[in-house]
Amino acid sequence: MAEKPNKTSNELFRGALILSAAAIIVKVLSAAYRIPYQNIAGDIGFYIYQQVYPFYGVAFTLSTIGFPVVISKLIAERESSNNFAVKDILVTSFVVLSSISVMMFAALFLGADWIAGWMKDPHLAGLLRIVAYSYLLMPISSVLRGYFQGINDMLPTASSQVAEQCIRVLTILVLSTIFVHQGYSDYVVGKGAVLGSVTGGITGLVLLIAFVILREEWKLFLRMRIKPVNFIKISKALVFQGLAFCITGLILILFQFVDSLHLYSLLRETGMGEREAKEWKGVYDRGQPLLQLGTVVANSFALALVPVISGFVQSKSQFELLNKIKLALRVSATIGVAAAIGLVVTMKPVNHMLFTDVKGTITLAIFSLSILFTSLIMAEAAVIQSLGHSFAPVIITIVGVGSKWALNLVLVPHYKIAGAASATVLAYMIMTVLFYVVLRVHIKKTLIEKRYVLIILKSTVYMGTAVVLFNCLFEWMTSGESRLLATVQALTGVGIGAAVFVMTAIRAGLFAEEELSLLPLVSKLKRLIITNRSIRNHE
């Protein structure tokens, strides 16, 4: 009998690991495919796709993070021996989510012309109608993912998410390549790309149904019944907690929503022609995959600490809890600063390497600063939710999105896409400060110590100086601006910057050896610490 708790604990850890790995793969896929797509479709094609992407992003986030998490939580807490409670949860969830999805489908499908008109681009209506179908897949996918997660079987959820993104990305790249080569218009190419939201969603759903059949879980779905007394209670939990759980996953998408709805029209108001405004909006959108990839790196490290933080919340060990919260913020700040400033000083060759030319380099450099703030936001929000405060992130997100909208109105008329990038950075900065204030109110302790801030700044200055010197030397030694040379310069510069930053930070004692044991790649970093300590001892 003594082995059962350990077995349960191991199964929980294994399940969390599978789901976390899948989440990282999905995020990387979701960001990385945009780079080849921009190369295939060009800046106008990229603008077209990015205008409608946020509508799909909401559906995907709700069906993978928001609703399944709440359903799994309700099942894990209320499962009974006769499974009646589980049936209540599943039936109620399906009814409620079906109602929501039908309303969202109808709003997007029937309102496509109005939304496209608001965006000042009527040709987008057809793409919006295609995306609308992805909402119809949400109820079954959410319920099945929530059920499997609730019984701690993470493989169906993880594999369906990865399969959905793989087929979606494959559809986007294959159809866009075919349509471009056959000479179709940019909007037809865009329709082929957004069709991936439907093919991917169907793939994920088919895989989930296959798991239900193969594992004979279909028996549970027979003779379903709803207890009216539980319907309202479950519905409230599903809607309100679902929003709270997925809000951090929606932050980046909501900011893209703001730009989709009025950046193009604001650019037109500055005197740009239709084609020019679309091209520059497409150039601005190059920053999205850079932001997503940079945030994934920091987020994956910081979120590795969240289960540890939750454990200390349960054990009420205040000293250890404070230390782990500090560590989560320090990791996010470190990686966020390194990624943001590293991109700023290498943006010109990176832009040329990834996107064929150097258009918008200054704007993308400004936009890259967002990585620091989004990295901190994800960590702060995760810690706040681990402490049991689910709705503070919702309020702060509303403030952040409102700030982004208002700042666009002020800055874009004067600075165009550079103004939009600045608005993004400032709005994320506001959110970072608000999240930190909420943490300070609950923790009542200093969360980022001055000496660590100084180490991060020192490491950043060394890194930036080394990369700038390398860039000057490289450009002096080479002639021309070929994409191959830009690739060599970008990759070498990134390598030099990363090496300088890591060596400086570790030698200065940014992380203790026991802290690194909580993070990935620990063995290599441990050896590096031991080596550097030996060097210092012999000096």
Side-chain angles (χ1 to χ4, degrees), residues 502-503 506 523-533:
V502 170
M503 291 295 292
I506 290 181
S523 57
K524 294 181 181 179
L525 290 172
K526 273 187 176 180
R527 287 199 296 270
L528 189 57
I529 282 181
I530 294 170
T531 301
N532 280 296
R533 283 180 178 170

Side-chain angles (χ1 to χ4, degrees), residues 288-363:
Q288 296 299 338
L290 300 177
L291 173 59
Q292 283 186 276
L293 288 172
T295 304
V296 165
V297 174
N299 203 27
S300 62
F301 277 83
L303 292 184
L305 296 170
V306 171
V308 180
I309 292 171
S310 299
F312 286 120
V313 171
Q314 296 297 323
S315 66
K316 298 182 180 180
S317 176
Q318 295 299 316
F319 178 77
E320 291 295 338
L321 174 63
L322 178 61
N323 284 341
K324 298 306 176 286
I325 291 174
K326 287 181 177 181
L327 179 58
L329 296 181
R330 203 185 327 146
V331 168
S332 296
T334 300
I335 300 175
V337 167
I341 303 304
L343 268 177
V344 168
V345 295
T346 59
M347 183 51 70
K348 183 179 178 181
V350 166
N351 194 13
H352 196 182
M353 175 183 72
L354 297 178
F355 301 111
T356 73
D357 57 41
V358 295
K359 284 182 182 177
T361 293
I362 293 176
T363 295

Side-chain angles (χ1 to χ4, degrees), residues 111 194 202 220 256 273 326 338 382 385 462 516 537:
V194 298
I202 291 173
L220 178 67
Q256 291 179 62
K326 287 181 177 181
Q385 289 178 332
Y462 283 9
L516 290 171
N537 291 335

